[in-house]
Amino acid sequence: MKNRIFFILLCFSSLLNAQSIVGEWVTYHDKTKSKKSVIEIYKVGDEYFGKIITLFEDPLDSICEKCKGKNKDMPVIGMEFIENLKKDGEEFNDGTILDPKDGKKYKCYLKLLNKNKLKVRGFVGFSIIGRTQYWLRNI
């Protein structure tokens, strides 16, 4: 009987501690490792999106001059630059990520490595041709 209760409590505890990509994440410069921005990831329906909420390296009034469509000449802060990610097992994929520096959109996937570390991969075509960053939860 004690084993059953322990097992039920263990299962319930793991449900309460379910890890999510929702929240604020700090991005870092690939070469200098300095803080670059803070991103907010949020869920709408069954899809995940991300927007830039703070910039550390660029001026706070930066705009996306090279972007096309709805983001053309829009402020970078507040810009929804991750769109339409769907949870697929332990990964979040089938969405896009925009690089405000060059205005290009890339396919992307995210994977939560632990509750405070997120792997973010943007790529063209196949995931082999791309770039990976690791973001840390903003705590």
Side-chain angles (χ1 to χ4, degrees):
M1 184 67 171
K2 284 184 182 181
N3 287 343
R4 282 189 189 168
I5 292 172
F6 177 75
F7 179 74
I8 291 169
L9 288 174
L10 183 64
C11 290
F12 184 71
S13 171
S14 66
L15 288 175
L16 288 177
N17 292 327
Q19 297 177 359
S20 172
I21 64 170
V22 172
E24 292 183 7
W25 297 89
V26 179
T27 70
Y28 296 86
H29 192 278
D30 289 336
K31 293 181 183 171
T32 67
K33 305 300 182 210
S34 61
K35 286 184 180 181
K36 192 171 179 182
S37 63
V38 176
I39 307 304
E40 179 185 6
I41 296 179
Y42 52 96
K43 185 177 180 183
V44 178
D46 291 337
E47 296 183 324
Y48 294 82
F49 298 83
K51 66 180 173 181
I52 300 166
I53 59 173
T54 303
L55 293 173
F56 294 108
E57 293 184 343
D58 297 323
L60 296 178
D61 61 350
S62 295
I63 60 170
C64 194
E65 296 173 353
K66 296 182 179 180
C67 289
K68 296 178 176 80
K70 69 179 182 179
N71 291 323
K72 176 74 176 151
D73 295 325
M74 295 301 291
V76 173
I77 291 181
M79 178 179 292
E80 193 172 76
F81 80 112
I82 295 175
E83 297 180 314
N84 308 109
L85 286 172
K86 295 170 190 72
K87 186 163 177 36
D88 181 16
E90 292 186 12
E91 292 185 355
F92 299 80
N93 51 43
D94 293 332
T96 59
I97 189 166
L98 170 73
D99 183 346
K101 294 280 188 200
D102 64 16
K104 294 181 182 176
K105 276 191 176 183
Y106 301 91
K107 293 180 181 180
C108 76
Y109 75 84
L110 281 59
K111 183 174 182 179
L112 197 60
L113 300 178
N114 64 49
K115 69 179 185 176
N116 293 320
K117 189 172 185 178
L118 185 65
K119 177 181 179 180
V120 179
R121 179 126 180 108
F123 56 94
V124 178
F126 301 99
S127 66
I128 295 170
I129 306 169
R131 187 174 99 202
T132 299
Q133 291 187 331
Y134 296 92
W135 298 354
L136 300 179
R137 193 174 295 275
N138 192 22
I139 34 181

